[in-house]
Amino acid sequence: MANETYSTTAHRYAEAVVAGNILTCSWVQRACKRQLNDLAKFKGKASPYRFNPRLTDKDGRSFAPADNLCGFIERLPHVKGPLAGEMIKLEPWQVFILTTVFGWVKPDGKRRFRRSYIEVPRGNAKSTLSSALALYMLAADREGGAEVYSLATTRDQARIVFGDAQTMARRSPGFRNRFNVNVGAHNMNVLASGSKFEALSAEGSTLDGLNIHFGCVDELHAHKTRTVYDVVETGTGKRDNSLLWVITTAGSNRSGICYEVRSFVTKLLNGVFEDDSQFGIIYGLDDGDDWTSEESLIKANPNWGISVRSEVLGPLQAKAMQLPSAVNNFKTKLLNHNQN
C-alpha cells in the first residue's frame, strides 16, 4: 500500500505467504510462520525481544530500526542492468527479510539476530541488497569503528558486493555528504567514526584477528572449505551488535559448509530446535514440484517479473528440457532445487 510502514508491508507479506496467497515453497512459509509466531509470543515488558520499537540514538534522535534501514536503502541507486540509475525500490519479500533481521531488538537495543542465511536463485538481486546493506552497516548503524567486509574465497567474488556498493556510494553524493564517507579504490571509510568497508578473500589475505561488525559472505555454496565462514563467525563474536550475513544460491556439495549451514537452518525452521540468534529463509521448490512448469519459475524466484523475467528464464528452461546435461545446473542455479 502507498503509505504503509515497511514493517506493515512485511507483515502483510508474511500473512499472504502463510495463507497461500503468494506462491512460495514450504521453507519460506515456515520462515514467515516463525515471524508471525514470534510477534505473538514476544510481547510485554518481560519479553526478551521487542519488534521495531522506537529507539533513541546518542544524539537524542528517535528511530525505528527496521523502517530506518529500509528507508536508507531506498535512497540508494541501482547500479547494474535495466534499472541502473533508478532508486532502489524494495520488494515485499526483501522488506520481510530486512525488517525481520533488523526489527527484533533486545531491551538494550541490540539486535536479536546475529546470523542470517538467505538462499535465493540467481538473478534475484542478491548483490544489490547486500551492497546497500553493507553501506548502512558502514555508515548508519551507529557503531563506532565498524569493520565491514565482503568476504569470499576469491578476490573477484569478494569484490562483487564491494564493487556494487562502491558504485552506489559514488553515485550518491547525498549519502557521502550526510555520513562523511570517503570512497577509495579498495576501501571505503568514515573517518569520524573510524569505520571501514573492504573486500577480503582467503586468496592472498590474512583473515585472522578481524573485529567484524558486518560480514557479508556471498555465494557460500562456492566455498570449498569452511575457513572464511568460521573466520567471520568468530570475528563477529568480538562485538555485541554484529551480523553475519550469508546470501547464496543453492549448491550441490553435501559435505561443504553451505550445506551444513543450510541443514542447520532447515532444522530450525522445522522446529527441531530453537535458536533466537539465527535467521533463515530458503526460496526454491518443494519435492514433487514440476520443474518444467512456469509455476515453478514463479514459485522459486521471489523477484519474478522484476529482475527475473519469463523471456530470460523461459528459453533456459526449454533448453534444459531438451538437454539432460543442462538440467542440474538449471535446477540448482535458477530454481534452488538440488538440495533437500
Side-chain angles (χ1 to χ4, degrees), residues 6-7 51-53 63-71 98-100 102-104:
Y6 294 104
S7 51
F51 184 71
N52 204 31
F63 68 98
D67 295 320
N68 189 62
L69 167 66
C70 292
L98 293 170
T99 56
T100 303
F102 281 78
W104 285 109

Side-chain angles (χ1 to χ4, degrees), residues 2-78:
N3 296 313
E4 69 183 14
T5 64
Y6 294 104
S7 51
T8 300
T9 298
H11 194 266
R12 286 163 54 87
Y13 175 80
E15 288 186 322
V17 166
V18 171
N21 296 327
I22 295 177
L23 187 62
T24 66
C25 71
S26 59
W27 296 122
V28 178
Q29 293 165 9
R30 290 183 177 102
C32 288
K33 184 64 175 175
R34 181 191 186 197
Q35 169 67 352
L36 296 176
N37 288 343
D38 285 351
L39 288 169
K41 179 170 64 172
F42 296 126
K43 287 184 174 180
K45 292 183 178 179
S47 173
Y49 312 111
R50 297 178 295 162
F51 184 71
N52 204 31
R54 299 299 302 185
L55 302 177
T56 304
D57 66 17
K58 59 182 176 57
D59 296 318
R61 291 174 297 206
S62 176
F63 68 98
D67 295 320
N68 189 62
L69 167 66
C70 292
F72 174 94
I73 289 176
E74 290 199 329
R75 290 180 177 87
L76 295 170
H78 286 280

